Amino acid sequence: MAPRPSDAGAAAPAASPVQGRSSRARRRRRRLPTLRATLVDRYLLRQVGGPFAAYLGVALLAMMLERTLELVADMAAGGVRIGFLPQLLIQLAPYYLGLALPAALRAALLLAIARLDDGGELEVILASGYSLPRMLAPLVALGLAAGLLSLAVVGVLEPYGRYGFRTAMYAARNAGWSPQLSGGGFQVIRRDVIVTADDAAGARLDRVFIRKALPGGGETVITAARGDLGLAPGARAVTLDLSHGQIFDSRPASGRREPLAARFETLRLTEPLPVRPPIRPRGKDAKELTLPELAGELARPDPHFDRHKVGAEFWYGLARSASLPLLPLFALPLGMAPKRGGRALGMALAGALMLAFHHAIHLAQDVSRRGDADPALAIGAVFATFTALALWPLMTSSRIVGPRRRPLAEALDRFGEGLKDRLVRAIAPLRGGVRGRRSLGSYVAGTVAGWTFATLVAVVALLQMVDLFERSDDILARGLGLAGIARYMLLRAPAVTQQAIGFAALAGAALAFLRLSRSSEVVAMRATGVSLYQVLRMALPVALVLAASQALLADQLAPRAQVALDRWWTATDPARAAGPPLWFRLGDDVVRVGQASPGGARL
């Protein structure tokens, strides 16, 4: 019998609840988050990943260039062949790569976020249903990849590179001696034999001065009109044929010095080259151990083993690498600008936070290495504080009501505007109380000056961080503490600023005009009849101020700060002793100093 319409209508509702539940389940499954990267994720990674690679290369190149200049000067002063320089730089690359990774990632995150925010792309992403934590997912993934790279560099490559650098430098200093001398330079044949000449053409020397320390405490000083350097058969000894000279010999005899002076027409000196012992094996220094090796040393119950040094290196390497995934957590909220506001204060706060973390964790490592604190507790406390500070901007900014509701950014903007108003009121009397409207020239000059100053601060902070990484061990070993670190940074600031001011002038002007171009302000100026030459003339006062600052630093501040640093560094050296006499050149003269005062002012 065919079913009636009422029967069919009654049967249909019986199946609808099941179908409804299945359709709702399918919709819930579609809404569940997946691990697959979306188009937005790939776009964010592309916007940050490209600049990150570029900034990493620039930071690594800048730090390596500064160290290259120092190496060339040291190798020339020690008579080391310059052919060893590429090998030394290759061994140093992992160390500077580990330092450049966090700085490059922070710069890439902040500048990419600023660019996306200026173009309104962050608003579109937030309005499309993405939350701030979901938007952070690809950036945290990039930070995690950078952290793994840092873990490999800091935990494996850097220890091998440190030992490789020592091995290469040892081999360079003890390589086959070359009978070459530059005019006015010193050549150290042995620790107790030093040769210098006013003029030199390879092995041919004019106006020669030789000083040889004697085993009993005396010394022999020889001067000659001419000389020829050479190597004895087998290259085991250095020969020096002198002509028309004088010899002064001072030996202790009968409790007093009885000098002997004589003239000669020809004299041949033969000095054997020292035979160096082989370099020690890797692992005598905790900094030369990889992270797995450090973990093994910590687990080994050895009463003669310094667990503080090994623990400090182990936890320090882990904390440095683990901090990179945390950078996006505070870079994104602080890099977002409020409506009709700026992000300069937020970006400065982000940079200061990262810089403070690296200085604090390095200080905790030094304190732990000396045994004043437990490494795990000291370094762990610094890392936990940094984690809390990194999560705080995210937790504050996650309470978003609409795309433009950014509580933390707005609070920073209000603070910056209040500070700016106070500064304007403070300098108003100096301007005669005139508070006229800003001209176009002052706006362009102020924009260029602001970006140049920000770039200068960033470069100086980076160079100071690298310099402090290399010197903080010596400062703390002398018992100078935080005050000594602050004084060292203050005395080094003029020289570092002098090095960075040229790069800051170029990069700051480029960033300022790029910003003006992207916001169409250059187009607006051109539309009003302002030529490019007039725009450059508006920025000319900034260049003149930078040139004057560079001249002042090079002529007055940097030399005086360096002299004060040398005196302070010599006076605080715990191993300072009278030692043997010192020799140095003063123009055409060679000066002998028997003893120097701690500050170096009295000889």
Side-chain angles (χ1 to χ4, degrees):
M1 184 177 62
R4 290 177 300 180
S6 59
D7 295 335
S16 60
V18 177
Q19 295 174 355
R21 285 195 297 269
S22 62
S23 62
R24 285 195 298 270
R26 284 195 299 269
R27 286 196 298 269
R28 283 197 299 269
R29 283 196 298 269
R30 284 196 297 267
R31 287 197 298 266
L32 288 177
T34 61
L35 296 178
R36 290 181 300 176
T38 63
L39 182 62
V40 174
D41 295 335
R42 291 193 294 270
Y43 180 73
L44 291 175
L45 287 175
R46 189 165 59 250
Q47 293 297 313
V48 180
F52 170 55
Y55 299 152
L56 182 61
V58 171
L60 180 61
L61 182 62
M63 290 187 287
M64 291 289 291
L65 181 60
E66 182 185 11
R67 187 57 186 271
T68 300
L69 298 177
E70 295 178 0
L71 277 178
V72 169
D74 294 341
M75 294 170 72
V80 180
R81 287 186 298 179
I82 202 67
F84 286 90
L85 182 62
Q87 183 180 357
L88 294 172
L89 294 178
I90 291 174
Q91 301 297 339
L92 281 175
Y95 172 73
Y96 288 105
L97 180 59
L99 293 179
L101 273 171
L105 181 59
R106 178 186 65 85
L109 285 168
L110 290 176
L111 294 180
I113 290 168
R115 185 170 59 252
L116 293 172
D117 198 21
D118 289 338
E121 295 170 277
L122 291 183
E123 291 185 21
V124 175
I125 295 175
L126 290 173
S128 63
Y130 271 73
S131 63
L132 192 61
R134 178 61 184 87
M135 201 189 327
L136 278 171
L139 304 181
V140 173
L142 178 62
L144 184 60
L148 293 177
L149 176 61
S150 176
L151 192 65
V153 171
V154 175
V156 179
L157 297 181
E158 184 179 326
Y160 279 104
R162 188 181 296 272
Y163 180 75
F165 175 80
R166 292 179 179 177
T167 304
M169 183 59 75
Y170 185 84
R173 289 174 176 170
N174 300 308
W177 190 84
S178 177
Q180 301 289 330
L181 183 65
S182 59
F186 283 87
Q187 179 68 280
V188 181
I189 301 177
R190 298 161 54 95
R191 286 188 63 184
D192 51 358
V193 180
I194 302 175
V195 180
T196 183
D198 286 353
D199 298 309
R204 182 69 177 180
L205 311 178
D206 291 327
R207 300 177 67 188
V208 186
F209 178 90
I210 304 170
R211 186 256 180 181
K212 177 181 178 181
L214 301 176
E219 60 182 354
T220 299
V221 177
I222 303 173
T223 62
R226 291 180 180 82
D228 292 294
L229 272 174
L231 288 175
R236 297 293 183 182
V238 179
T239 61
L240 185 56
D241 296 316
L242 304 173
S243 60
H244 306 292
Q246 302 178 29
I247 183 170
F248 177 86
D249 188 89
S250 173
R251 302 173 185 267
S254 304
R256 62 186 180 87
R257 293 183 180 273
E258 296 180 354
L260 173 64
R263 295 178 179 271
F264 60 86
E265 291 296 324
T266 59
L267 179 66
R268 184 181 180 90
L269 297 179
T270 302
E271 292 294 336
L273 290 173
V275 179
R276 307 287 185 181
I279 191 171
R280 59 171 177 79
R282 186 181 67 89
K284 296 297 182 181
D285 188 356
K287 294 183 178 181
E288 299 172 355
L289 298 177
T290 64
L291 284 180
E293 291 171 344
L294 290 172
E297 293 289 348
L298 287 175
R300 187 179 63 182
D302 189 354
H304 302 290
F305 184 69
D306 192 349
R307 299 178 60 86
H308 287 279
K309 291 184 178 179
V310 174
E313 295 297 330
F314 177 76
W315 294 109
Y316 174 71
L318 288 181
R320 280 180 60 184
S321 302
S323 65
L324 294 182
L326 300 176
L327 295 183
L329 300 182
F330 65 85
L332 181 58
L334 293 177
M336 297 167 64
K339 190 174 183 179
R340 294 185 301 275
R343 65 177 61 85
L345 192 58
M347 296 179 70
L349 181 60
L353 180 60
M354 193 201 75
L355 191 63
F357 166 72
H358 281 280
H359 283 309
I361 199 171
H362 191 62
L363 180 60
Q365 181 201 21
D366 292 331
V367 171
S368 303
R369 189 187 293 120
R370 292 187 288 114
D372 296 337
D374 182 79
L377 294 178
I379 298 177
V382 175
F383 182 77
T385 304
F386 175 72
T387 303
L389 291 176
L391 290 174
W392 173 66
L394 175 63
M395 297 173 63
T396 305
S397 298
S398 62
R399 300 188 296 270
I400 297 178
V401 183
R404 273 297 181 185
R405 179 59 183 164
R406 301 166 186 178
L408 180 60
E410 292 174 359
L412 290 174
D413 188 64
R414 287 194 299 270
F415 175 79
E417 290 297 329
L419 182 62
K420 181 179 178 180
D421 291 340
R422 291 189 180 92
L423 291 176
V424 169
R425 286 195 297 269
I427 65 175
L430 301 177
R431 301 172 58 186
V434 179
R435 301 188 58 182
R437 301 185 63 179
R438 259 181 112 185
S439 64
L440 180 60
S442 63
Y443 175 74
V444 173
T447 303
V448 175
W451 279 98
T452 303
F453 180 73
T455 306
L456 179 63
V457 171
V459 175
V460 169
L462 179 62
L463 295 179
Q464 284 272 40
M465 182 179 68
V466 175
D467 192 18
L468 190 60
F469 266 55
E470 299 175 353
R471 286 291 188 177
S472 60
D473 294 347
D474 297 334
I475 296 174
L476 295 176
R478 299 180 183 209
L480 301 175
L482 293 177
I485 292 178
R487 184 172 182 178
Y488 178 80
M489 294 179 64
L490 180 63
L491 294 176
R492 281 285 296 161
V496 173
T497 306
Q498 180 186 351
Q499 296 175 6
I501 198 168
F503 177 79
L506 176 62
L511 291 173
F513 285 114
L514 180 63
R515 176 68 181 274
L516 293 174
S517 176
R518 284 187 171 177
S519 58
S520 301
E521 293 175 277
V522 174
V523 176
M525 286 187 284
R526 294 297 305 275
T528 59
V530 179
S531 65
L532 291 179
Y533 295 102
Q534 290 175 316
V535 175
L536 293 178
R537 191 169 64 242
M538 296 174 189
L540 184 60
V542 180
L544 296 178
V545 171
L546 290 175
S549 302
Q550 177 81 345
L552 179 63
L553 286 169
D555 185 64
Q556 297 292 330
L557 299 181
R560 295 182 180 182
Q562 187 62 41
V563 171
L565 177 62
D566 292 340
R567 290 178 177 176
W568 172 68
W569 196 253
T570 303
T572 55
D573 187 3
R576 178 172 48 87
L582 305 175
W583 294 89
F584 62 91
R585 298 187 66 93
L586 187 63
D588 293 336
D589 301 323
V590 178
V591 182
R592 176 187 185 275
V593 177
Q595 190 175 359
S597 63
R602 180 176 301 173
L603 307 179

